[in-house]
Amino acid sequence: MSEQDANYRFAAESAVEPDHIARARAHALELGAAPVSAAVGAQCALLSAASQALNIVEIGTGAGVSGLWLLHGAPRATLTTIDSEPEHLAAARQAFADARIPPARARFITGRASDVLPRMNEASYDIVLVDADSEKVIDYVEHGLRLVRAGGIVLVPRVLAGGAVADPVKRDPVTTAYRSLIQETQSSPAVIGALSIVGEGLLQLTTIPSD
């Protein structure tokens, strides 16, 4: 095992997942909802805590794992989570209830994000997490940057596409979209971006407040 591989493995295994999130993860895997890794979840929790987030949007609920991580870091926040799969939303509701998250702190919206996001208020949220419809990731990130307040954060897990993004031979639509997103945001004067390679990867973007 190379030093780099050893570092990846150590970082992935070092994340300690709270019991209520671990239970949600087990249910997600049963449903085939592909939850974010514990390492990525921990990074999301840290960012929600550091930003003292109060209003969070999640595009792609899954079975509630990423939402629980976000609220783990921001115990006073309200989460609005969007998913087109009623079964996933039902699982997330149950996971939140099992974790004793007050109902007022979670708003579940059934529908396509492309239909819901245009109706949401811009510059009104602290964090937007984008984890749905990989082929539309650029559109969703654009919506996310519109929705967050000045200095707000947009998070994109799975952005390395299982290693495909780093392989120049891979040119399928999803890989190309992720690769373009990373390149464009790294050079954009409107945002500051950082790419974490722990777990499945996490692109972190924060808007630069205008003068």
Side-chain angles (χ1 to χ4, degrees):
M1 180 182 293
S2 68
E3 179 182 348
Q4 188 176 51
D5 289 340
N7 288 338
Y8 291 160
R9 181 174 178 178
F10 179 81
E13 294 177 351
S14 68
V16 177
E17 193 158 58
D19 289 344
H20 68 282
I21 303 181
R23 289 192 295 271
R25 176 179 303 283
H27 195 186
L29 292 172
E30 290 174 2
L31 289 175
V36 299
S37 65
V40 167
Q43 290 183 71
C44 292
L46 182 147
L47 291 165
S48 63
S51 64
Q52 299 182 340
L54 294 176
N55 293 292
I56 300 172
V57 174
E58 180 183 47
I59 305 169
T61 308
V65 172
S66 51
L68 289 172
W69 270 115
L70 288 163
L71 292 180
H72 181 65
R76 296 188 297 126
T78 298
L79 174 73
T80 298
T81 185
I82 306 163
D83 204 293
S84 60
E85 294 288 342
E87 185 179 17
H88 292 178
L89 284 165
R93 286 179 186 273
Q94 187 60 55
F96 277 50
D98 292 345
R100 298 185 179 179
I101 304 292
R105 290 185 56 209
R107 178 189 180 204
F108 298 88
I109 299 177
T110 305
R112 293 184 175 275
S114 55
D115 297 328
V116 176
L117 294 172
R119 302 197 299 267
M120 300 183 75
N121 294 330
E122 62 182 59
S124 299
Y125 299 91
D126 301 299
I127 295 176
V128 174
L129 184 140
V130 179
D131 189 20
D133 301 334
S134 299
E135 66 277 6
K136 297 180 181 179
V137 65
I138 293 177
D139 290 341
Y140 290 165
V141 168
E142 288 177 352
H143 276 296
L145 292 171
R146 177 183 64 83
L147 294 177
V148 294
R149 59 171 173 78
I153 299 170
V154 175
L155 301 173
V156 189
R158 309 181 208 278
V159 74
L160 296 176
V165 168
D167 184 350
V169 176
K170 301 290 187 181
R171 297 185 179 275
D172 61 276
V174 170
T175 301
T176 300
Y178 278 133
R179 190 179 291 131
S180 297
L181 175 65
I182 294 168
Q183 293 170 343
E184 290 174 11
T185 53
Q186 291 296 305
S187 60
S188 171
V191 300
I192 295 173
L195 175 61
S196 168
I197 58 175
V198 171
E200 60 273 31
L202 180 68
L203 181 62
Q204 305 157 65
L205 306 172
T206 185
T207 57
I208 300 175
S210 58
D211 295 333

